[in-house]
């Protein structure tokens, strides 16, 4: 087994929180503990993946053009068929030649993405790999999974090590952590599933049958196998957990503590992201100030497959501690959560977007919308946004323009909060004119959570959101989020994530 | 010296409102009939040899591809030369400007300029509000009409201390004036308290800061200054006009305390008319929202930049104020049937200059009146027309 280096980690959670008690109350079953994370109407697995991956790249000090492959695992890609991978790669500013792939089909996809990246690095086909696991499963109404299904994303920046490459290791010195062992086991059994064309995940399995005959024995077997392959014994395990009780049974079977419980408690079952989010949790400083070092195991599960990995942690991994800030979110009612997930829709058709989202304006505009580009005038420096509608400079009329990536931070020049719009728009909707740090001016949507607090002069950051789900096609763009305590110094990527998550 | 090559010899409009019972064609016929009937010495409609139609939104009444033939057919002039002008909220005032140039060119002698707009044949959600989903998929998304002006209110308040009360005073004044205008959509007074208590539409603009959705039509008959006396002993002349543009996206605005298109258009109109803001007896300006009138009176040079709020609050723009603004009730009370709006404003100026405006008549001392519209994406189109009764 050739080890691979872990250079940085990132994590993300959506902005809504739903109490299991509220779900139970809706069905008259009364049960459930804790809360789960739910995507708002403008969040999905791609926006979560973008945030986790951006954070991980920043933490690792890796620039997007250094990434040779993007491996993305999610059971709910934004397109069941379509350009999910290239959309994410474009938002991250990765090279058009970037390799990798999209793993899907079950929540095991997150581990499959990790293994794919690992294989490419070990084979010498990639120097830096970006692994993202994100999920936002949509549980069927009234299913047992409704009270435990959450959403979240984990990202890892991986590089080659001295052992895995003939050349020098990626960062010259020894990496903060290395994946050292892996093992997969499988059993052909149906548990949670989503039929082709179905919109939500069903779980009509027998819970005790699943626990006793499938989940616990399979994951324990994978965990034991990876331990046998590893020279060091895992000091703790991060384990995917469909219901909040299964993971601890596996850890008990493996004889080491469960380290993934806090992130499960904060977000619920994050599907494809669960095992890696748990691993990041295990690598975080646990509030003690001292980073966890030594061997940690992680086991992901989905669709009858379990994969266990062991990571050797030498020192604090950049970006890992961000996971401790994912807990906060806006508590919503069951009805609000259903509406956000698209499971509760008004009878009237929404007003269609003026332009068809697969039409020419999007073919021309997607790169500049997903990448957030402007056109800088070589004569006067004015940035006109976006480039495709600005053949000449809005400042001086010059035609010598170069495409530039815009700053993601700025101050509010002016704003409104729109309260009166037809479906699919939801009030309150802030629209914010921002003076970006690079001098560009941009008007974008703001966060409803900021509607009551926005003021001229506030500092805002731009974050990727889904502007529309138009005729089934997601349309992405950047929205403005107010930075709490606006005059504070520039925060790190993790701070941004925490502020958004805690909006 | 004013331009004065072209004269208004007839003008009229129909009662504005939610005219569910009238078709586009019936509204056009009503406005034409009113204009024709206003010609002092009479005019045979066969004398009209060209028609300029202003209709901004065929989409609001289900005729996306409307051309210049519907109106002539509706008013019994089928066959006449006709062109439709669509230039955002100033469509009507731009049609007037173009009509004046057509007459001045000598190509056509008697030109009808007519604005007709159906705003309420579709529900609000499917109609005007649907623009929230039009335009650029990101940089216009959520942009309903108030979004074009509310950011200016936010910034004007921030920079100059303009208050909601000052904005409300514009609505109070214009609703008062509307009570005196039999053609106005709304004919009821509102108080500052009512404005401030009305629902928030798009902060900081509340319901009573906004003009209504109004069906309407207005028409004006133009001829050359030389021929004007064939039709009336009290012609009103086109003293000057100006049109100007600005970038179409809000994020391209250089500032959020003024509308450069208005300032540019006004400068051109003042120069052509040989007058300045102090020479005006009254003005009809684009008050689609209360903040817009505050911006307008600054951008048109009636008051210093930043002083529009206090000037409104202190009554400088009232019927008996230093410069009466929107004696007709303005867009806020008379209504804003887009293509008809500018022509209805010009009709008010015509009445005022002829001192035929009844209870809302302002004092005419210098003989000049100004009409102004601004609108479109980014409020990037403005037209200013100046009329005079001085030969």
């Amino acid at each position: 087994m050739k080890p691979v280096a872990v250079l940085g980690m990132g994590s993300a959670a959506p902005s809504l929180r739903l109490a299991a008690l509220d779900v139970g109350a809706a069905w008259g079953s009364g049960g459930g503990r804790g809360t789960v994370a739910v995507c708002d109407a403008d969040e999905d697995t791609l926006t979560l993946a973008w945030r986790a991956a951006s954070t991980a790249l920043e933490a690792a000090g890796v620039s997007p053009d250094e990434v040779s492959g993007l491996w993305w695992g999610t059971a709910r890609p934004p397109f069941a068929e379509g350009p999910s991978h290239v959309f994410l790669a474009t938002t991250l500013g990765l090279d058009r030649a970037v390799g990798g792939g999209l793993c899907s089909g079950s929540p095991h996809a997150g581990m499959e993405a990790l293994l794919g990246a690992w294989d490419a690095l070990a084979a010498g086909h990639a120097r830096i790999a970006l692994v993202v696991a994100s999920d936002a499963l949509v549980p069927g109404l009234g299913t047992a999974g409704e009270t435990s299904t959450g959403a979240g994303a984990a990202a890892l920046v991986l590089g080659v090590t001295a052992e895995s490459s003939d050349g020098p290791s990626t960062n010259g010195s020894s990496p903060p952590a290395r994946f050292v062992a892996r093992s997969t086991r499988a059993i052909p059994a149906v548990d949670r599933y989503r039929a082709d064309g179905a919109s939500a995940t069903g779980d009509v399995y027998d819970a005790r049958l699943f626990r006793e005959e499938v989940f616990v024995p399979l994951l324990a077997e994978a965990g034991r196998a990876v331990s046998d392959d590893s020279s060091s014994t895992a000091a703790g395990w991060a384990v995917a957990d469909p219901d909040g009780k299964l993971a601890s049974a596996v850890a008990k079977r493996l004889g080491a503590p469960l380290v993934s419980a806090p992130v499960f408690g904060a977000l619920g079952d994050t599907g494809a992201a669960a095992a890696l989010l748990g691993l990041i949790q295990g690598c975080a400083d646990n509030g003690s100030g001292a980073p966890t070092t030594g061997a940690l195991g992680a086991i992901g599960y989905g669709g009858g497959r379990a994969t266990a990995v062991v990571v050797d942690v030498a020192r604090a991994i950049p970006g890992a501690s961000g996971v401790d800030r994912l807990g906060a979110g806006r508590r919503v009612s069951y009805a609000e959560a259903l509406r956000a997930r698209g499971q509760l829709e008004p009878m009237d058709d929404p007003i269609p977007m003026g332009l068809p989202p697969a039409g020419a304006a999007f073919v021309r505009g997607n790169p500049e919308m997903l990448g957030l580009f402007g056109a800088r005038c070589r004569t006067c420096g004015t940035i006109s946004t976006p480039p495709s509608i600005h053949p000449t400079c809005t400042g001086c009329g010059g035609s010598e323009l170069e495409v530039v990536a815009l700053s993601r931070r700025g101050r509010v020049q002016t704003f409104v909060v729109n309260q009166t719009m037809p479906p699919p728009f939801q009030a309150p909707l802030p629209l914010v004119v921002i003076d970006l740090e690079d001098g560009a001016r941009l008007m974008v949507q703001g966060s409803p959570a900021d509607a009551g607090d926005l003021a001229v002069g506030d500092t805002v950051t731009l974050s990727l959101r889904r502007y529309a789900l138009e005729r089934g096609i997601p349309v992405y763009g950047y929205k403005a989020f107010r930075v709490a305590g606006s005059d504070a110094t520039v925060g790190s990527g993790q701070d941004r994530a925490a502020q958004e998550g805690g909006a | 010296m004013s331009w004065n090559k072209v004269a208004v010899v007839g003008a009229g409009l129909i009662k504005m409102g939610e005219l569910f019972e009238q078709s586009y064609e019936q509204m056009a016929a009503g406005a034409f009939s009113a204009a024709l009937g206003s010609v002092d010495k009479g005019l045979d409609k066969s004398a009209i040899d060209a028609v300029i139609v202003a209709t901004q939104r065929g989409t609001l009444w289900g005729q996306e591809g409307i051309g210049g033939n519907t109106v002539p057919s509706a008013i019994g002039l089928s066959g006449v030369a006709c062109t439709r002008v669509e230039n955002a909220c100033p469509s009507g005032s731009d049609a007037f400007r173009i009509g004046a140039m057509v007459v001045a060119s000598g190509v056509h002698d008697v030109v009808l300029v007519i604005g007709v707009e159906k705003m309420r044949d579709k529900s609000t959600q499917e109609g005007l509000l649907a623009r929230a989903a039009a335009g650029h998929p990101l940089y216009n998304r959520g942009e309903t009409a108030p979004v074009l002006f509310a950011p200016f209110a936010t910034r004007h308040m921030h920079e100059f201390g303009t208050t909601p009360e000052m904005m409300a005073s514009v609505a109070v004044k214009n609703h008062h004036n509307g009570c005196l205008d039999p053609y106005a959509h709304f004919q009821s007074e509102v108080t500052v308290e009512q404005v401030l208590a009305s629902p928030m539409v798009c902060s900081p603009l509340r319901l009573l800061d906004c003009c209504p959705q109004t069906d309407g039509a207005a028409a004006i008959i133009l001829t050359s200054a030389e021929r004007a006396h064939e039709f009336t002993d009290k012609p009103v002349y086109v003293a000057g006009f100006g049109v100007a543009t600005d970038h179409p996206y809000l994020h391209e605005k250089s500032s959020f305390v003024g509308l450069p298109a208005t300032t540019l258009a006004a400068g051109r109109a003042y120069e052509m008319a040989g007058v300045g803001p102090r020479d005006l007896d009254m003005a009809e300006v684009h008050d689609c929202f209360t903040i817009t009138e505050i911006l307008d009176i600054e951008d048109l040079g009636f008051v210093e930049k930043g002083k529009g709020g206090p000037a409104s609050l202190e009554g400088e723009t009232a019927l008996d104020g230093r410069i009466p603004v929107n004696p007709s009730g303005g867009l806020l009370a008379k209504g804003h049937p887009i293509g008809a709006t500018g022509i209805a404003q010009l009709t008010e100026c015509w009445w005022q200059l002829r001192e035929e405006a009844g209870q809302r008549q302002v004092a005419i001392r210098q003989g000049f009146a100004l009409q102004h519209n601004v609108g479109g994406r980014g409020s990037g189109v403005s037209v200013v027309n100046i009329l005079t009764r001085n030969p």
Side-chain angles (χ1 to χ4, degrees):
Chain A
M1 189 69 56
K2 289 182 177 176
V4 289
V6 181
L7 307 176
M9 292 177 158
S11 52
S15 53
L16 306 184
R17 297 292 179 274
L18 171 66
L21 210 59
D22 292 345
V23 180
W27 295 106
S29 59
R33 286 177 293 120
T35 60
V36 294
V38 176
C39 282
D40 207 343
D42 62 357
E43 296 175 307
D44 67 8
T45 54
L46 189 142
T47 66
L48 294 175
W50 171 82
R51 189 133 48 86
S54 304
T55 310
L57 287 172
E58 193 178 326
V62 167
S63 83
D65 56 16
E66 294 177 84
V67 175
S68 41
L70 166 67
W71 280 263
W72 181 16
T74 175
R76 299 286 309 207
F79 295 90
E81 291 176 33
S84 300
H85 185 274
V86 65
F87 269 41
L88 178 60
T90 307
T91 62
L92 292 168
L94 305 185
D95 193 276
R96 285 178 60 213
V98 78
L102 173 66
C103 301
S104 194
S106 84
H108 190 252
M111 297 312 272
E112 290 168 17
L114 171 61
L115 300 190
W118 190 334
D119 287 344
L121 290 166
H125 296 311
R127 299 286 302 167
I128 303 260
L130 178 58
V131 175
V132 196
S134 65
D135 239 335
L137 292 172
V138 178
L141 300 182
T143 59
E146 260 198 309
T147 55
S148 58
T149 298
L156 307 172
V157 180
L158 305 181
V160 293
T161 60
E163 303 98 308
S164 65
S165 165
D166 295 334
S169 67
T170 303
N171 61 351
S173 59
S174 68
R178 300 174 312 146
F179 279 105
V180 294
R182 58 193 242 192
S183 186
T184 298
R185 294 292 184 273
I187 179 172
V190 178
D191 48 277
R192 290 186 181 169
Y193 72 99
R194 181 162 57 95
D196 191 23
S199 60
T201 301
D203 62 357
V204 288
Y205 64 95
D206 180 317
R208 279 199 58 77
L209 169 69
F210 178 63
R211 175 191 175 97
E212 299 302 328
E213 298 298 322
V214 180
F215 193 88
V216 175
L218 188 72
L219 270 67
E221 184 188 352
R224 276 193 297 268
V226 79
S227 298
D228 292 345
D229 287 348
S230 167
S231 54
S232 38
T233 306
W237 289 93
V239 182
D241 198 344
D243 73 354
K245 299 188 273 289
L246 290 164
S248 56
V250 172
K252 194 172 174 189
R253 196 76 70 92
L254 292 170
L258 182 69
V259 299
S260 50
V263 72
F264 180 92
L267 306 180
D269 174 18
T270 51
L276 296 183
L277 265 178
L279 184 66
I280 296 172
Q281 177 83 69
C283 295
D285 64 13
N286 302 321
S288 67
T292 301
T293 56
L296 276 176
I299 314 176
Y301 173 80
R305 304 183 78 206
T307 291
V309 295
V310 170
V311 64
D312 246 331
V313 182
R315 61 177 190 274
I317 302 170
S321 60
V323 74
D324 289 329
R325 294 193 282 265
L326 297 181
R330 183 164 66 89
R331 176 84 176 266
V332 292
S333 68
Y334 183 54
E336 286 173 288
L338 290 185
R339 191 175 68 166
R341 278 201 294 233
Q343 292 176 292
L344 181 64
E345 292 183 305
M347 180 180 177
D348 290 340
D349 289 336
I351 300 293
M353 186 176 274
L355 294 163
F362 282 88
V363 173
R364 289 192 298 268
N366 271 338
E368 66 193 16
M369 289 191 278
L370 297 170
L372 192 61
F373 296 151
R376 184 196 297 274
C377 177
R378 289 204 170 98
T379 308
C380 74
T382 299
I383 299 175
S384 305
T385 306
S388 71
I389 60 172
H390 289 106
T392 59
C393 170
T394 53
C396 72
S399 54
E400 293 277 306
L401 304 175
E402 57 183 331
V403 173
V404 292
L406 298 183
S407 165
R408 304 293 170 90
R409 194 177 174 90
R411 284 181 180 270
V412 175
Q413 161 70 212
T414 187
F415 70 99
V416 305
V417 180
N418 202 347
Q419 303 282 1
T420 315
M421 298 157 293
F425 297 92
Q426 286 178 18
L429 177 64
L431 295 164
V432 190
V433 179
I434 307 160
D435 291 332
L436 295 173
E437 286 177 343
D438 55 16
R441 184 171 277 181
L442 195 60
M443 187 175 84
V444 295
Q445 293 187 358
S447 165
D450 293 335
D453 301 323
L454 270 178
V456 170
D458 279 356
T459 300
V460 293
T461 58
L462 296 181
S463 198
L464 188 77
R465 291 295 174 114
R466 192 177 70 188
Y467 262 66
L469 187 59
E470 179 71 23
R471 288 161 249 194
I473 297 176
V475 176
Y476 298 99
Y478 294 81
K479 294 190 179 181
F481 293 82
R482 184 173 177 270
V483 175
S486 256
D487 294 322
T489 47
V490 177
S492 68
Q494 296 97 297
D495 290 340
R496 278 211 301 275
Q499 273 147 2
E500 282 173 42
Chain B
M1 264 309 285
S2 299
W3 186 62
N4 281 20
K5 291 182 180 172
V6 174
V8 178
V9 297
L13 63 154
I14 60 172
K15 164 82 170 74
M16 306 286 187
E18 288 180 311
L19 306 178
F20 297 121
E21 75 289 359
Q22 289 187 49
S23 66
Y24 175 89
E25 291 80 0
Q26 288 169 322
M27 295 196 308
F32 177 55
S33 168
L36 205 58
S38 75
V39 180
D40 294 332
K41 298 180 183 176
L43 185 147
D44 188 322
K45 70 179 180 184
S46 64
I48 293 169
D49 61 349
V51 177
I52 313 284
V53 173
T55 292
Q56 199 260 335
R57 282 182 174 249
T59 50
L60 283 184
W61 54 290
Q63 293 212 18
E64 284 72 9
I66 182 180
N69 58 332
T70 302
V71 169
S73 169
I75 64 175
L77 283 176
S78 190
V80 72
C82 183
T83 297
R84 183 172 78 92
V85 172
E86 175 180 339
N87 203 3
C89 289
S91 292
S93 42
D94 204 18
F96 177 85
R97 184 187 70 93
I98 291 165
M101 293 194 294
V102 166
V103 171
S105 76
V107 173
H108 293 291
D109 280 342
V110 181
V111 170
L112 170 71
V113 180
I114 180 166
V116 194
E117 202 77 51
K118 263 288 168 204
M119 301 294 289
R120 289 293 284 112
D121 267 21
K122 282 187 184 172
S123 71
T124 304
Q125 300 249 314
E126 284 181 278
L128 210 53
L129 286 180
R131 70 168 287 156
H136 191 280
L138 301 184
Y139 303 131
N140 292 127
R141 191 143 178 92
E143 187 185 280
T144 52
V147 174
L148 297 173
F149 295 91
F152 292 81
T154 303
R155 190 75 201 184
H156 208 273
M157 293 163 89
H158 177 78
E159 288 195 22
F160 302 121
T162 304
T163 63
E165 291 77 12
M166 292 173 187
M167 295 197 291
S169 70
V170 175
V172 171
K173 168 186 67 87
N174 290 355
H175 276 79
H176 170 76
N177 295 353
C179 293
L180 307 175
D181 181 353
Y183 295 94
H185 184 164
F186 293 139
Q187 307 194 332
S188 53
E189 304 275 356
V190 299
T191 64
V192 168
E193 293 70 32
Q194 284 173 321
V195 177
L196 298 182
S198 63
M200 195 64 89
V201 169
C202 180
S203 72
L205 301 177
R206 294 177 180 276
L207 184 64
L208 289 172
D209 287 303
C210 307
C211 70
Q213 292 178 82
T214 303
D215 300 321
I220 281 179
I221 299 166
L222 296 172
T223 191
S224 63
E226 292 79 36
R227 289 193 61 187
H229 285 275
E230 292 176 31
F231 306 107
T232 178
D233 293 330
K234 290 167 66 181
V236 166
Y237 300 96
V238 182
F241 45 73
V243 59
T245 56
D246 189 23
H247 297 298
Y249 290 86
L250 281 169
H251 67 255
E252 297 164 350
K253 301 286 117 179
S254 52
S255 110
F256 287 88
V257 295
L259 296 169
T262 293
T263 308
L264 281 172
R268 289 165 191 168
Y270 286 139
E271 187 180 352
M272 187 171 171
V275 296
R278 292 177 183 284
D279 301 313
L280 305 172
D281 291 316
M282 53 81 63
E284 284 278 305
V285 308
H286 197 84
D287 59 327
C288 50
F289 302 97
T290 51
I291 184 63
T292 322
E293 183 169 313
I294 289 172
L295 297 173
D296 295 341
I297 62 176
E298 297 171 358
D299 294 336
L300 293 165
F302 301 172
V303 299
E304 224 179 288
K305 180 52 71 184
K307 302 280 200 257
S312 299
L313 190 66
E314 288 154 20
E316 284 192 46
T317 53
L319 289 178
D320 58 354
R322 181 172 64 80
I323 168 75
V325 171
N326 287 328
S328 71
L331 282 56
L332 286 167
K334 188 164 73 177
H336 185 19
I338 304 176
T341 296
I343 299 166
Q345 290 172 308
L346 287 157
T347 301
E348 177 70 11
C349 294
W350 186 70
W351 280 326
Q352 292 283 353
L353 290 173
R354 285 162 56 101
E355 300 188 70
E356 294 171 352
Q359 286 180 281
R360 64 184 190 285
Q361 181 64 50
V362 303
I364 302 298
R365 299 187 180 92
Q366 306 181 94
F368 287 92
L370 177 146
Q371 177 270 333
H372 158 263
N373 288 127
V374 65
R377 279 247 135 86
S379 299
V381 186
S382 179
V383 173
V384 171
N385 291 298
I386 299 174
L387 302 185
T388 182
R389 69 179 186 183
N390 307 339

